Amino acid sequence: MSNDPLLQPYQLKHLTLRNRIIVTAHEPAYPEDGMPKERYRAYTVERAKGGVAMTMTAGSAAVSKDSPPVFNNLLAYKDEIVPWIREMTDAVHEEGAAIMIQLTHLGRRTRWDKGEWLPVVAPSHHREASHRAFPKKIEDWDIERIIKDFADAAERMKAGGMDGVELEAYGHLLDQFASPLTNELDGPYGGSLDNRMRFCFDVLKAIRARVGDDFILGVRYTADECLPGGTGKEEGLEISKRLKESGLIDYLNVIRGHIDTDAGLTDVIPIQGMANSPHLDFAGEIRAATNFPTFHAAKIPDVATARHAIASGKVDMVGMTRAHMTDPHIVRKIIEKREDDIRPCVGANYCLDRIYQGGAAYCIHNAATGRELTMPHTIAKADRRKKVVIVGAGPAGLEAARVAAERGHEVVVFEAANDPGGQIRLTAQSERRREMISIIDWRMSQCEKLGVTFHFNSWAEADTVQAENPDVVIIATGGLPHTEVLSKGNELVVSSWDIISGDVKPGTNVLIFDDAGDHAGLQAAEFIAKAGGKVEIMTPDRSFAPEVMAMNLVPYMRSLQKLDVTFTVTYRLEAVEKSGNELVAHVGSDYGGIAKQRTFDQIVINHGTIPLDDLYFELKPASSNLGEVSHDQLIAGRPQTAWRNADGKFQLFRIGDAVAARNTHAAIYDALRLVKDI
Ligand SMILES: Cc1cc2nc3c(=O)[nH]c(=O)nc-3n(C[C@H](O)[C@H](O)[C@H](O)COP(=O)(O)O)c2cc1C
Ligand code: SF4
């Protein structure tokens, strides 16, 4: 047996966990009609197959109708969920993993205009900044009802074959009672710590009475809100001890921080550029003080840090949640001594940010996650070995190369630059976004192992490509910044890429006109402001940087506000003129009736990219499919069979930004879903 601390079994009451790695509660927003149907099951089972000890399915499954599904949560208050849960638990158990579910009442952390349009309840009228609903102050009959709802939901989960349930008590109703900041009740449920904790213990007692002892019950709670006037560390320790001493629960799952604002949430679940494992020592302190089974997750993205978390005795079970969205087979790869093959989580937080925008969770660089029913995590070999030539070694080209090589094809990649990476190399210029380069490094190391041939510094012409006698050609040449957006003066502006790459020196008084609203605009602003320039970001949109979602925006704002960058929304840069050494910006508005002139010494445009597609169009007449992609075949996961030119010698495809400006995930998904069937 291995002596790897991560691979040691753990006895949690009657439940033997096969190793020390868990996936903590997370709602990937895959439910259909509030139920965990095939897609949800396939996603969950993939992690069980990959070897994880326990998967905490769902995040925040709702126990009551007035806890509406604000990010497409499971509806644990419906009886019809039981058979769906049963199918999932049976399938996970068959793979040797344990499975639990997190239950919650969101309290004020939701919206009244979701679900059944019931008023939101909380122990005070204070609204949560993130979700904006003004709550009704909870009444005695609400409290009784919700306690019963928790017990009913737990019973449904037991009937569905779950190994246990976990209660969510950070930012949700349970800790809205516990925190002095959000509890303004009098009497039995407000005031002293005893009273503020009463609701939590009433819920735990009701659940325990219903599910009996042979069912795991845990609480995921904040043991330090890190907010003035909130639950501090001392009280958090006291809460931890009381939870243990209650005899009602089997483990503690420690959180530090608060999630009522985007900034708070991002400190609880740090993203790229923020420190790894920031709350691990704190979790260790709770474990030392309570001597009770302790779980914890918060940016422990790599095996070495996870191993340290266990070996140092700070926690009993270590959560690697986003890491498993990036690579569901972490444990299997540890066992097979293939840690180098683990696809690294780069903390891009595309997964989590999307659910808060009403989308499903997708991993920025694993397009199979959440698409297990159609996209493979492990690529099958092709029946016939083909020669595949790929032009471009950005994320799309490298994913195409990796997948084609996994299929067993002979793969040749041409790249004009010295190094692989394309736009990601540019992104990684920002210190905070350096982790993004792992998207490229991982693919390069996989491609090298698989024998892909790379030609860097090679500007591929049509002849170069055809000289390879390819069966398939994939154009992944990306795009170039698109700055031609003005009625006059396009030659006077620079692009956000010019700034980020260092090709153009930052100005001192700079306007960034950003109607792409993505990372590049903010990155350019940060570069300029850090170099000492005064920066104004202007957008015609209602809000700035709409493509940079909630948690990703946090580190930018922490930096840009200190650098005094200003934001002007709803104005459009229309033209630029030169006046001496200055640039005159002519500013209008889509709402009409506005014509202003402003003076700057540098004007930067961030307007996405325009495809670099010359080679594609040169090759198109010589190809057998004339570049056609059958969308039906692509979506159904069948090989492309378009045949439009009898003289054509090769199939030709175009992916990523060489087609149209999109994002890294779209580029990688383009590549995976096309090439897995080549
Ligand atoms: C898509 C997504 C949804 C999440 N939803 C929940 C949730 O409902 N409840 C919860 O306690 N944690 C939730 N989390 C937080 C995770 O359980 C975990 O604490 C967090 O991702 C940090 O751990 P990691 O760095 O290993 O990913 C969610 C995380 C993700 C990525
Ligand atoms: S999107 Fe980013 S943070 Fe989320 S799982 Fe993928 S790599 Fe990790």
Side-chain angles (χ1 to χ4, degrees):
M1 190 176 162
S2 164
N3 56 8
D4 186 339
L6 284 174
L7 298 180
Q8 304 311 307
Y10 183 73
Q11 195 63 35
L12 182 65
K13 207 175 180 179
H14 55 272
L15 188 67
T16 306
L17 300 171
R18 59 181 163 180
N19 57 59
R20 300 304 184 94
I21 299 182
I22 57 172
V23 170
T24 55
H26 63 294
E27 180 44 74
Y30 303 150
E32 294 153 75
D33 312 316
M35 299 295 126
K37 297 190 180 176
E38 289 82 357
R39 177 191 191 187
Y40 209 114
R41 182 162 71 240
Y43 166 78
T44 307
V45 170
E46 191 73 40
R47 274 125 204 97
K49 278 187 192 155
V52 78
M54 175 164 77
T55 173
M56 185 74 65
T57 191
S60 320
V63 299
S64 302
K65 293 188 188 71
D66 59 351
S67 174
V70 75
F71 40 92
N72 192 11
N73 313 57
L74 290 175
L75 306 181
Y77 58 78
K78 292 196 170 180
D79 288 338
E80 68 184 88
I81 201 167
V82 175
W84 292 111
I85 294 286
R86 172 57 72 181
E87 286 196 46
M88 182 156 63
T89 55
D90 282 352
V92 167
H93 286 144
E94 244 168 66
E95 297 297 338
I99 177 167
M100 289 179 57
I101 188 166
Q102 187 186 62
L103 297 178
T104 202
H105 191 296
L106 291 157
R108 63 179 193 155
R109 189 173 167 75
T110 183
R111 295 183 61 90
W112 46 264
D113 57 357
K114 298 267 173 192
E116 306 288 349
W117 282 62
L118 292 168
V120 162
V121 289
S124 78
H125 288 298
H126 299 307
R127 86 173 186 187
E128 193 217 52
S130 288
H131 291 83
R132 308 177 60 79
F134 290 103
K136 162 192 157 175
K137 198 161 161 184
I138 199 162
E139 294 178 68
D140 47 2
W141 55 269
D142 289 315
I143 294 175
E144 281 167 32
R145 168 178 60 82
I146 294 169
I147 291 170
K148 180 174 174 303
D149 286 347
F150 266 106
D152 289 346
E155 194 176 350
R156 283 184 201 102
M157 297 307 131
K158 192 172 182 195
M162 285 286 173
D163 293 303
V165 299
E166 173 180 275
L167 303 188
E168 209 281 14
Y170 65 106
H172 293 194
L173 188 61
L174 284 175
D175 66 303
Q176 288 161 25
F177 271 88
S179 169
L181 286 175
T182 44
N183 185 337
E184 290 188 345
L185 298 176
D186 303 320
Y189 291 98
S192 66
L193 180 61
D194 277 347
N195 286 355
R196 284 182 277 120
M197 289 299 293
R198 191 179 311 282
F199 179 62
C200 180
F201 285 122
D202 283 358
V203 167
L204 288 170
K205 280 181 211 149
I207 293 179
R208 203 36 110 192
R210 202 73 78 76
V211 296
D213 266 351
D214 59 340
F215 193 62
I216 302 294
L217 190 49
V219 179
R220 193 174 206 199
Y221 67 108
T222 177
D224 180 2
E225 282 189 288
C226 304
L227 275 177
T231 299
K233 184 174 170 182
E234 206 177 309
E235 193 165 272
L237 271 173
E238 180 58 28
I239 290 173
S240 311
K241 287 183 187 152
R242 290 186 186 196
L243 283 169
K244 173 192 171 181
E245 284 158 12
S246 73
L248 292 164
I249 66 166
D250 305 304
Y251 71 89
L252 301 169
N253 191 349
V254 177
I255 293 283
R256 182 182 217 179
H258 60 101
I259 62 170
D260 54 325
T261 58
D262 294 342
L265 178 63
T266 310
D267 288 333
V268 170
I269 307 178
I271 68 166
Q272 59 186 205
M274 298 170 77
N276 279 358
S277 60
H279 310 307
L280 178 60
D281 289 344
F282 179 74
E285 285 180 53
I286 301 277
R287 183 178 185 264
T290 57
N291 192 23
F292 200 56
T294 302
F295 298 5
H296 174 67
K299 200 169 189 248
I300 298 176
D302 59 291
V303 173
T305 312
R307 195 170 277 132
H308 161 73
I310 298 295
S312 60
K314 291 186 197 295
V315 295
D316 297 285
M317 298 299 292
V318 59
M320 297 185 76
T321 304
R322 286 169 295 176
H324 274 84
M325 298 194 84
T326 325
D327 191 333
H329 300 154
I330 291 176
V331 175
R332 179 168 63 76
K333 289 176 182 174
I334 297 173
I335 293 170
E336 291 170 1
K337 305 217 176 304
R338 291 171 50 219
E339 281 175 35
D340 287 353
D341 287 333
I342 294 172
R343 188 187 313 222
C345 173
V346 298
N349 229 45
Y350 189 59
C351 49
L352 198 53
D353 265 341
R354 275 182 55 90
I355 69 165
Y356 286 113
Q357 296 223 146
Y362 289 125
C363 172
I364 196 166
H365 81 122
N366 186 346
T369 292
R371 298 192 182 95
E372 280 76 8
L373 295 174
T374 52
M375 294 295 129
H377 283 284
T378 307
I379 309 291
K381 283 263 178 288
D383 296 337
R384 184 169 78 81
R385 183 170 159 88
K386 294 182 183 166
K387 172 98 181 248
V388 180
V389 172
I390 296 164
V391 186
L398 288 182
E399 176 72 348
R402 177 187 80 84
V403 178
E406 291 274 13
R407 299 273 292 146
H409 299 313
E410 179 186 353
V411 184
V412 178
V413 181
F414 291 97
E415 165 58 50
N418 283 335
D419 300 297
Q423 283 184 54
I424 289 191
R425 191 154 288 281
L426 213 55
T427 299
Q429 294 291 320
S430 288
E431 181 63 36
R432 257 205 341 267
R433 306 201 68 209
R434 195 141 289 167
E435 287 169 61
M436 291 291 277
I437 207 67
S438 298
I439 294 176
I440 300 307
D441 291 347
W442 179 75
R443 285 182 171 73
M444 283 304 289
S445 80
Q446 292 292 296
C447 284
E448 275 156 25
K449 282 186 193 172
L450 292 161
V452 173
T453 305
F454 284 93
H455 299 288
F456 289 105
N457 283 314
S458 285
W459 183 267
E461 309 277 356
D463 290 350
T464 337
V465 171
Q466 281 169 295
E468 295 283 334
N469 280 326
D471 298 300
V472 179
V473 176
I474 297 174
I475 304 298
T477 39
L480 286 177
H482 186 193
T483 55
E484 309 258 310
V485 295
L486 306 174
S487 61
K488 194 168 154 198
N490 283 314
E491 71 288 356
L492 299 174
V493 303
V494 300
S495 73
S496 46
W497 288 25
D498 289 330
I499 299 290
I500 300 168
S501 64
D503 288 350
V504 170
K505 201 167 153 273
T508 54
N509 177 24
V510 183
L511 175 70
I512 300 183
F513 179 63
D514 179 12
D515 65 348
D518 56 11
H519 282 274
L522 298 184
Q523 277 187 271
E526 200 173 3
F527 269 99
I528 297 166
K530 279 191 170 164
K534 180 168 164 287
V535 183
E536 173 179 341
I537 298 181
M538 179 183 288
T539 172
D541 293 319
R542 280 182 290 141
S543 68
F544 62 92
E547 305 298 328
V548 179
M549 296 182 276
M551 293 171 74
N552 264 281
L553 190 66
V554 170
Y556 282 116
M557 295 316 290
R558 285 185 170 155
S559 170
L560 296 179
Q561 286 188 333
K562 288 194 190 99
L563 293 164
D564 220 12
V565 170
T566 57
F567 299 87
T568 304
V569 297
T570 71
Y571 287 92
R572 179 178 290 282
L573 178 67
E574 291 175 342
V576 175
E577 280 180 313
K578 205 159 170 62
S579 166
N581 284 338
E582 310 257 65
L583 296 173
V584 180
H586 294 262
V587 176
S589 155
D590 295 353
Y591 301 92
I594 289 288
K596 298 191 203 184
Q597 292 191 4
R598 308 271 312 280
T599 309
F600 299 92
D601 69 358
Q602 186 175 58
I603 293 180
V604 180
I605 303 280
N606 187 46
H607 184 73
T609 58
I610 196 100
L612 198 57
D613 53 11
D614 296 351
L615 179 60
Y616 168 80
F617 284 105
E618 272 173 54
L619 287 167
K620 191 171 164 176
S623 67
S624 59
N625 59 333
L626 300 181
E628 181 182 334
V629 180
S630 156
H631 289 170
D632 288 342
Q633 289 172 337
L634 190 70
I635 291 165
R638 294 198 305 270
Q640 294 289 320
T641 55
W643 188 261
R644 295 165 69 93
N645 172 19
D647 298 330
K649 297 268 186 305
F650 55 89
Q651 285 184 297
L652 174 68
F653 300 107
R654 191 161 55 125
I655 56 174
D657 283 5
V659 183
R662 287 166 290 160
N663 66 14
T664 305
H665 180 82
I668 285 173
Y669 186 27
D670 268 9
L672 174 66
R673 72 167 155 181
L674 175 78
V675 182
K676 76 179 177 39
D677 297 310
I678 283 177

